[in-house]
Amino acid sequence: MNIAKPGPAPSGQPAMQPLPADALIVLPTRNLVLFPEMVFPLAIGRPATVAAAQQAVREQRQILVVLQHDPEKAEIGPDDLHRTGTVANIVRYVTAPDGTHHVICQGVQRFRITEFVEGHPFLLARGLHVSEPSGSGPEIEARFLVLQGQVREVMDLLPQVPPELRQTVEATESAGALADLAATYLDSKPAEKQDILETVELVPRLDKVSALLAQRLEVLRLSNQIGQSTKASLDARQREMLLREQMAAIQRELGDDGSNKQEMADLEKAITDAKMPPEVEAVARKELRRLQRTPDAAAEHGMIRTYLDTLIELPWALPEAPPIDIPEARKVLDHDHYGLEKIKLRIVEYLAVRKLAPEGKAPILCFVGPPGVGKTSLGQSIARAMGRKFARVSLGGVHDEAEIRGHRRTYIGALPGNIIQAIRKAGARDCVLMLDEIDKMGSGVHGDPSSAMLEVLDPEQNGTFRDNYLDVPFDLSRVVFITTANMLETIPGPLRDRMEIIGLTGYTAGEKLEIAKRYLVRRQLEANGLKPEQAAIDDAALKQIIAGYTREAGVRNLEREIGRALRHVAVEIAEGTATKVQIGVADLEKLLGPLRFENDVAMRTSVPGVATGLAWTPVGGDILFIEAALTPGGGKLILTGQLGEVMRESVLAALTLVKGQAAALGIEAGLIDKSDIHVHVPAGATPKDGPSAGVAMFMALTSLLTGRTIRSDTAMTGEISLRGLVLPVGGIKEKVVAAAAAGITRVMLPARNRRDYEEIPEEVRKALEFVWLERVEDAVGAALAAA
């Protein structure tokens, strides 16, 4: 016996108890049935099977090869195995270079398991060795001759049969051995081979093998006949049609003419039930006739079938719209979102118009605001309030026009555009379809998707929207389109003109506290597997998280920080060290670390030359510090802090104004000419631009040159002109909310921005003092501390 023995067991593992002498090591197989006297390779991979084979090799023991019931099952127990197997010798154990293990086994004798031995890392079994019956007589001899003839015919019909196999068959004189040999190489299911292995008596065993061979012979004869009948018709031009002709010949032998009448009838009924418009139904029936004429094996058959399935699945018929209940809609909006009163009022107005004029062309709503303020969830609430299906299409990063209009059907793998796919998924032609991140669409070599959106979002045109894949008009006029964006500047003008802009600004600290108490804490408790009676966060701790650990317009980071705190609690609950935890302010530093943000306004504005401005960013408002310093020189102006061209011009305009009003401001004569002025805006890694820091620039220079500090509780915004006028700017609401969040109590705004006062949340208006500026002289009088 030529056996490559595996190495000894690793020294770190405990020694295994001795194996019983009367038990056999079991090697379960997934799809292999080993017969006596047969030599067969067996690939093993499961750790328990590898350990069993290695132990058998070490102790030079025989193994028991047994078929398992379910080939997909990895962990094998006694109930997963058949009760009849084959005792075998391991001829060779091989470990391949890729780490796989193989054993070459030689069957010895049938074995019937009576019990399994427990307490070992692999299966052991006891049972009875089943001897091979030595029968003779006319019945067995006749069956032997029939089986021998069948085996010879099979070998004649099969190509490339090894000569050694023919010699083995001719040399086999035992009926049982021939039956086992034929079963080993028979192309049949493992369950059928197991049945033969369990059949010990010769007559029934020979009958079973002979019956399986007869089935195999019929298939081989038919295949040979088909090959002979089609071979004569082949030439160089028809070679690629071989498989199709063979399929047709098989269908003729089966008595099937290849028709798919039932399938075509089902498709025709589905087209009728889809209630398509007449124009579309005509196209569908034309494609159905093409499908009937196209062979199943043709590539075009699958393309036509996919197109028809798409047409059938689209919701062509307009469902009966549920009535819009305005009071219920208010309840849904109030339940899902806190605050946003003006936004909710506009949505209720929108729903009221849809209720009174369901056939009218509704405007396309566009929610614009910083991340995390609830734009997407507002769309879901509108769908709930209207009782309609909701679908969402993310447009962020889309740069291919085909993503909107679909691909032409001539391309392999063509699909409809995202709009049609979303409506098909929603299953309703009057669904609420949210187009997320419409400001983040790009354009490339494959076209401009924002231009393709013009037809989708135009109520005058989208009633006959034509997707390239469908190539028939689809009515989008009943779809309620809602778009979201973080900023309007990147949306092309024609597309922006088709939408009604609804601005969502950042939340105030009070609103964030209410949102956290009503929604975020409960959601994070569920996400972390906690119950309200196990963990809670008091209001003071939530206020501290809002002020000291997050600085954002929305509440996404606030929810993350709440989740971080609750995960620490989850660890304590899971370990059993606590049953209920109340998180207070004193616990936050341990849970979340030291404060990340602090109110540094007073410290930064305690010296002359420092002014606090207000800035707008795509993620909400922010405060901006303008610092100016004076050094001996020759009147040079130095600008740093990654300032854009417009902001640089604002500094130059402010300096010109200061020079023109030097006498009125009490600036020492000649001071500007004999000094260099350095203007710096901190956070130098962040690009900054825009004219709205003009007032802050003017006040920083005035403070520097007069030696008077600017009040630390005051922030300002506004563009200036060379005549000293303070011009209006945008983003007032976001800037004022950011000022209140940063600890500012007094803001100076352009007088012409009074129109934006009503947009500022009432809570912020009560917390701030507003100073309205007509000219820069108003800012000097209101902001500079007394000399």
Side-chain angles (χ1 to χ4, degrees):
M1 184 182 298
N2 186 10
I3 300 178
K5 296 184 179 181
S11 59
Q13 297 181 359
M16 188 174 61
Q17 58 180 331
L19 304 181
D22 60 339
L24 290 173
I25 297 174
V26 177
L27 248 67
T29 62
R30 297 181 188 270
N31 295 298
L32 173 68
V33 177
L34 181 67
F35 288 87
E37 304 301 326
M38 298 297 112
V39 179
F40 223 86
L42 177 62
I44 55 177
R46 289 176 283 199
T49 308
V50 173
Q54 292 180 348
Q55 190 66 23
V57 172
R58 291 190 191 98
E59 297 186 12
Q60 296 187 357
R61 295 171 65 112
Q62 290 181 322
I63 61 172
L64 178 62
V65 180
V66 186
L67 179 69
Q68 65 188 61
H69 291 290
D70 183 5
E72 301 298 329
K73 193 167 184 180
E75 298 294 331
I76 298 301
D79 295 335
D80 302 314
L81 297 174
H82 289 275
R83 287 298 183 267
T84 300
T86 303
V87 179
N89 295 321
I90 296 181
V91 179
R92 187 172 182 83
Y93 183 103
V94 179
T95 301
D98 60 357
T100 58
H101 301 267
H102 304 267
V103 291
I104 300 176
C105 304
Q106 181 177 21
V108 177
Q109 192 177 20
R110 284 175 169 81
F111 187 86
R112 188 170 290 115
I113 300 172
T114 58
E115 64 174 347
F116 286 89
V117 181
E118 299 180 351
H120 296 275
F122 42 77
L123 294 174
L124 295 173
R126 293 190 180 99
L128 302 175
H129 292 267
V130 180
S131 301
E132 182 71 17
S134 57
S136 60
E139 288 187 359
I140 294 177
E141 184 176 355
R143 286 172 170 79
F144 172 77
L145 292 175
V146 170
L147 183 62
Q148 197 174 45
Q150 287 176 319
V151 172
R152 288 169 180 164
E153 186 176 358
V154 168
M155 290 190 295
D156 291 335
L157 292 173
L158 288 174
Q160 300 178 349
V161 175
E164 296 82 6
L165 182 59
R166 291 182 182 272
Q167 295 171 5
T168 302
V169 171
E170 296 297 335
T172 301
E173 298 179 355
S174 168
L178 181 61
D180 290 347
L181 177 63
T184 297
Y185 293 97
L186 185 62
D187 185 15
S188 60
K189 299 177 181 178
E192 295 174 335
K193 293 187 177 182
Q194 179 67 28
D195 182 35
I196 295 171
L197 180 68
E198 293 175 357
T199 306
V200 180
E201 296 298 326
L202 284 178
V203 172
R205 196 197 315 173
L206 289 168
D207 288 341
K208 289 179 180 180
V209 176
S210 181
L212 291 175
L213 276 176
Q215 294 178 5
R216 184 61 180 160
L217 273 172
E218 284 297 321
V219 175
L220 290 173
R221 290 168 185 157
L222 184 58
S223 299
N224 187 53
Q225 181 181 349
I226 293 171
Q228 293 296 328
S229 62
T230 58
K231 186 176 180 180
S233 62
L234 294 179
D235 55 25
R237 293 176 302 171
Q238 296 176 319
R239 189 170 299 277
E240 70 276 6
M241 302 297 293
L242 171 63
L243 294 177
R244 193 176 301 169
E245 290 188 18
Q246 286 184 339
M247 184 179 297
I250 292 172
Q251 290 175 337
R252 285 193 297 271
E253 291 292 337
L254 294 174
D256 183 3
D257 60 356
S259 63
N260 48 1
K261 296 179 180 177
Q262 184 60 45
E263 181 184 3
M264 294 300 115
D266 292 342
L267 281 175
E268 187 169 4
K269 182 178 183 299
I271 292 172
T272 303
D273 295 342
K275 299 179 181 178
M276 304 175 184
E279 176 187 353
V280 180
E281 186 171 349
V283 173
R285 296 192 182 280
K286 178 182 177 182
E287 292 297 322
L288 180 62
R289 292 192 292 272
R290 284 185 59 205
L291 184 68
Q292 291 173 328
R293 297 192 301 268
T294 305
D296 292 353
E300 194 176 0
H301 183 278
M303 295 172 61
I304 300 173
R305 179 60 192 265
T306 303
Y307 176 69
L308 282 174
D309 288 342
T310 302
L311 286 181
I312 291 169
E313 291 171 7
L314 280 173
W316 298 97
L318 188 65
E320 183 178 351
I324 298 176
D325 188 342
I326 299 300
E328 181 63 25
R330 290 182 188 272
K331 290 181 182 179
V332 170
L333 293 172
D334 290 336
H335 178 270
D336 292 349
H337 298 86
Y338 176 79
L340 306 175
E341 298 303 329
K342 294 185 178 179
I343 307 300
K344 293 178 183 176
L345 178 60
R346 179 63 189 91
I347 293 174
V348 169
E349 293 171 353
Y350 174 84
L351 296 177
V353 172
R354 291 307 295 256
K355 178 177 182 177
L356 297 177
E359 303 293 332
K361 293 179 170 60
I364 311 296
L365 300 183
C366 178
F367 296 141
V368 180
V373 295
K375 298 185 295 295
T376 303
S377 57
L378 272 174
Q380 295 171 335
S381 298
I382 292 174
R384 283 185 56 204
M386 299 182 72
R388 298 191 182 187
K389 300 287 186 66
F390 177 80
R392 175 180 170 273
V393 175
S394 178
L395 298 178
V398 171
H399 61 275
D400 187 352
E401 182 186 348
E403 297 279 350
I404 308 299
R405 288 192 174 276
H407 304 81
R408 301 286 180 186
R409 291 205 311 274
T410 53
Y411 297 108
I412 298 297
L415 289 170
N418 288 337
I419 305 298
I420 295 297
Q421 289 193 53
I423 294 173
R424 181 174 68 174
K425 185 177 180 181
R429 191 158 64 86
D430 61 348
C431 64
V432 175
L433 182 56
M434 171 151 281
L435 304 175
D436 239 347
E437 312 292 356
I438 197 170
D439 59 325
K440 296 179 178 61
M441 284 193 299
S443 61
V445 296
H446 300 293
D448 183 5
S450 61
S451 299
M453 290 297 298
L454 293 177
E455 181 183 2
V456 175
L457 298 182
D458 191 340
E460 301 295 334
Q461 300 181 38
N462 60 15
T464 56
F465 174 72
R466 187 176 289 267
D467 186 276
N468 288 334
Y469 181 81
L470 299 181
D471 203 23
V472 292
F474 188 87
D475 186 2
L476 299 179
S477 61
R478 295 303 183 89
V479 177
V480 179
F481 286 104
I482 299 173
T483 65
T484 71
N486 293 131
M487 53 195 306
L488 290 174
E489 286 73 12
T490 55
I491 304 177
L495 184 58
R496 190 166 62 242
D497 184 59
R498 281 164 168 76
M499 301 182 292
E500 179 178 336
I501 308 300
I502 299 178
L504 282 78
T505 55
Y507 295 111
T508 64
E511 289 174 332
K512 289 182 180 179
L513 175 62
E514 288 297 325
I515 291 171
K517 288 165 59 178
R518 297 188 185 195
Y519 308 105
L520 305 185
V521 173
R522 184 179 71 245
R523 197 155 61 198
Q524 285 301 313
L525 283 172
E526 295 175 358
N528 292 289
L530 295 171
K531 298 178 180 177
E533 57 268 19
Q534 292 177 317
I537 306 177
D538 59 36
D539 291 359
L542 289 174
K543 291 179 182 178
Q544 182 76 327
I545 295 175
I546 293 168
Y549 291 92
T550 63
R551 184 161 289 178
E552 57 177 342
V555 291
R556 281 211 182 104
N557 286 327
L558 174 59
E559 184 172 3
R560 290 192 189 101
E561 296 302 322
I562 292 172
R564 282 184 59 201
L566 291 178
R567 282 196 294 274
H568 287 278
V569 176
V571 173
E572 296 181 15
I573 300 292
E575 289 178 343
T577 58
T579 57
K580 178 174 176 58
V581 178
Q582 180 77 23
I583 299 176
V585 175
D587 304 317
L588 292 180
E589 186 167 354
K590 180 182 71 173
L591 299 177
L592 303 179
L595 293 177
R596 298 197 190 99
F597 304 102
E598 59 183 10
N599 189 351
D600 59 349
V601 174
M603 179 186 68
R604 298 288 293 273
T605 59
S606 59
V607 295
V610 179
T612 305
L614 297 174
W616 178 91
T617 70
V619 294
D622 200 0
I623 60 172
L624 189 71
F625 294 102
I626 312 295
E627 299 178 348
L630 200 65
T631 57
K636 186 167 62 172
L637 179 64
I638 304 169
L639 304 177
T640 56
Q642 275 222 57
L643 307 185
E645 190 63 33
V646 176
M647 206 166 188
R648 288 174 172 270
E649 293 174 353
S650 292
V651 181
L652 295 176
L655 182 58
T656 300
L657 267 177
V658 171
K659 287 180 178 179
Q661 300 183 11
L665 294 172
I667 299 174
E668 178 186 342
L671 178 62
I672 298 177
D673 295 332
K674 60 184 180 183
S675 304
D676 288 342
I677 298 176
H678 185 168
V679 177
H680 176 67
V681 183
T686 305
K688 312 165 193 72
D689 203 2
S692 62
V695 171
M697 295 286 186
F698 175 81
M699 291 306 302
L701 293 174
T702 301
S703 171
L704 174 70
L705 296 172
T706 60
R708 298 163 62 187
T709 61
I710 298 173
R711 291 179 52 168
S712 60
D713 61 349
T714 302
M716 61 204 75
T717 185
E719 183 181 357
I720 59 173
S721 72
L722 291 179
R723 294 177 292 162
L725 297 176
V726 179
L727 306 178
V729 293
I732 291 295
K733 182 179 178 182
E734 292 87 349
K735 293 174 181 178
V736 172
V737 170
I744 299 292
T745 59
R746 192 164 173 265
V747 292
M748 300 196 306
L749 305 175
R752 290 164 64 183
N753 277 116
R754 284 181 185 269
R755 60 179 181 267
D756 300 310
Y757 181 76
E758 293 298 328
E759 299 293 328
I760 301 171
E762 185 176 357
E763 175 188 345
V764 176
R765 284 186 285 177
K766 291 180 179 179
L768 295 176
E769 176 189 351
F770 291 87
V771 178
W772 303 101
L773 308 177
E774 293 281 358
R775 299 183 56 83
V776 292
E777 290 86 350
D778 301 334
V780 173
L784 288 183

